[in-house]
Amino acid sequence: MCDFPTSSTSSFLPMHPNFSQSSLLFSLILFLLSHHFPCSLCLDDFHYSNCTSPFELECGYELGKIEYPFWVYGHQAEYCGHPLFKLDCEGGEYASIEMMSQKYKVLHIDHDSQILKIVSTDVLPMGHIVCPQSPLMDSTLFNYTSNVKTVAFTLTYDCSSVGDHPESYNFSCTMNDRLHEAYLVTNLSVAKELRSRCKYGVTIPEFPVLVRELEGLEKGSLHGDVEEVLREGFEVQWTADNAICKECVGSGGRCGYDTTSNKSCCFCRDKPYPNKCSSMYPSSPLLFPSFLYQVSVLCVGSSVGFKNTDRHNWAIS
């Protein structure tokens, strides 16, 4: 409520009988237009508007809500997410993410626990899979979860009789259009022994698989299906300026990335900020024309209640 001063000898003159409501409204509009209003009364900054969060993505299957640090190529601006968390919709069939030049299918994203479940695109084809590569990822951004165990993977060429081993699981995979014998091995020393029996071979000492899938393989519940274990993928937990993003969202902003400074930032309704939105600008949208209209209606309605008393008490409620 805005109350004007009152006194027994008021400085206000009594309202002239012919003083109309339209004159009062005209004066009010003139007053509002002659004053500067904060940016929160204007259109939102384009960074804020373009980075809608969360973003719903359906790419062959429903992946769910996409939030920072992820962003979807072709659907969102690159500043809406971290450059190393770009998602691609592969032919409308599945979403993928690239880590150090290796491409993975995204199986699930849990933003609350910050866990990403992925699988190498090498093992996606049915039948004989492509021989997996050594997984490479930026350890400053991704780490295996406690649900993952690293095992050895051995690819062999021109072997003599290898035989069976209780800690190795045989399967076939293709490389350069040629079918090869390969082994998933839970013990590195066994992997080296298998490699020694072959003329050529390569061993990946730390290959990630899910613990529950490996246990199923060891117990025989998967019937020795190594391909099934590999197709289930593995989990990683990400870290990407989580504290800054939480502070930004708490201030009414949307997390984004400054490609010039290569740092996370906060997109707010008035402009981008390094960490959080300014308290000077409200987080709720308020456009000037709507604001002007509402105030005008209130004031016109209140003007009907003006009374010229002995004390000339005039108030706008």
Side-chain angles (χ1 to χ4, degrees), residues 11 37-38 72 83 89 97 108 119 138 178 202 250 262 269 300 312 317:
S11 59
F37 291 88
V72 185
C89 186
I97 185 171
H108 183 69
V119 59
D138 189 340
R178 181 182 174 185
V202 61
N262 292 322
R269 292 188 179 277
V300 169
H312 302 304
S317 57

Side-chain angles (χ1 to χ4, degrees), residues 201-244:
V202 61
T203 297
I204 300 174
E206 296 186 350
F207 193 85
V209 295
L210 291 174
V211 172
R212 66 173 181 271
E213 298 300 323
L214 182 61
E215 290 176 346
L217 188 64
E218 293 173 336
K219 294 176 181 178
S221 59
L222 295 181
H223 308 291
D225 192 349
V226 178
E227 289 90 343
E228 185 176 337
V229 175
L230 298 179
R231 287 193 178 103
E232 283 298 312
F234 56 96
E235 295 177 347
V236 292
Q237 190 167 40
W238 75 80
T239 55
D241 299 326
N242 304 321
I244 294 178

Side-chain angles (χ1 to χ4, degrees), residues 10-272:
S10 173
S11 59
F12 288 96
L13 295 175
M15 182 181 289
H16 191 279
N18 296 328
F19 188 85
S20 65
Q21 295 179 10
S22 58
S23 299
L24 176 63
L25 177 58
F26 176 78
S27 300
L28 175 64
I29 294 176
L30 200 61
F31 168 78
L32 293 175
L33 291 177
S34 64
H35 284 70
H36 173 73
F37 291 88
C39 190
S40 58
L41 304 181
C42 310
L43 294 176
D44 293 335
D45 177 75
F46 72 93
H47 295 92
Y48 180 90
S49 301
N50 291 342
C51 296
T52 303
S53 181
F55 179 83
E56 295 285 349
L57 174 65
E58 290 189 15
C59 182
Y61 56 96
E62 186 176 349
L63 190 58
K65 298 177 180 179
I66 306 300
E67 300 177 21
Y68 188 88
F70 298 94
W71 60 286
V72 185
Y73 179 77
H75 296 272
Q76 293 177 292
E78 61 179 346
Y79 50 73
C80 293
H82 192 288
L84 298 181
F85 287 77
K86 181 185 74 170
L87 300 179
D88 284 288
C89 186
E90 299 288 343
E93 296 181 0
Y94 63 88
S96 70
I97 185 171
E98 190 172 296
M99 298 180 182
M100 300 184 74
S101 301
Q102 293 185 17
K103 191 162 285 190
Y104 297 89
K105 176 182 178 180
V106 177
L107 300 177
H108 183 69
I109 301 176
D110 189 330
H111 287 278
D112 293 332
S113 60
Q114 296 176 196
I115 291 179
L116 174 68
K117 187 179 181 184
I118 55 179
V119 59
S120 171
T121 55
D122 291 335
V123 302
L124 293 182
M126 299 305 294
H128 293 301
I129 64 176
V130 177
C131 297
Q133 304 177 54
S134 177
L136 301 174
M137 60 185 62
D138 189 340
S139 59
T140 63
L141 295 175
F142 302 98
N143 291 287
Y144 297 132
T145 70
S146 58
N147 296 325
V148 171
K149 181 177 180 180
T150 56
V151 296
F153 165 73
T154 298
L155 182 65
T156 58
Y157 307 81
D158 299 333
C159 301
S160 58
S161 178
V162 175
D164 295 328
H165 195 287
E167 295 180 276
S168 67
Y169 303 91
N170 174 257
F171 68 103
S172 299
C173 60
T174 61
M175 179 177 286
N176 300 325
D177 297 323
R178 181 182 174 185
L179 192 63
H180 296 280
E181 289 296 310
Y183 296 87
L184 192 68
V185 187
T186 58
N187 189 306
L188 185 56
S189 61
V190 175
K192 293 179 178 179
E193 180 185 343
L194 294 174
R195 165 66 184 84
S196 67
R197 297 180 185 178
C198 305
K199 188 174 181 180
Y200 304 104
V202 61
T203 297
I204 300 174
E206 296 186 350
F207 193 85
V209 295
L210 291 174
V211 172
R212 66 173 181 271
E213 298 300 323
L214 182 61
E215 290 176 346
L217 188 64
E218 293 173 336
K219 294 176 181 178
S221 59
L222 295 181
H223 308 291
D225 192 349
V226 178
E227 289 90 343
E228 185 176 337
V229 175
L230 298 179
R231 287 193 178 103
E232 283 298 312
F234 56 96
E235 295 177 347
V236 292
Q237 190 167 40
W238 75 80
T239 55
D241 299 326
N242 304 321
I244 294 178
C245 187
K246 186 176 181 179
E247 184 180 22
C248 171
V249 173
S251 68
R254 293 172 178 172
C255 304
Y257 196 83
D258 185 349
T259 55
T260 302
S261 63
N262 292 322
K263 293 181 179 179
S264 296
C265 61
C266 187
F267 296 141
C268 305
R269 292 188 179 277
D270 57 320
K271 65 177 183 178

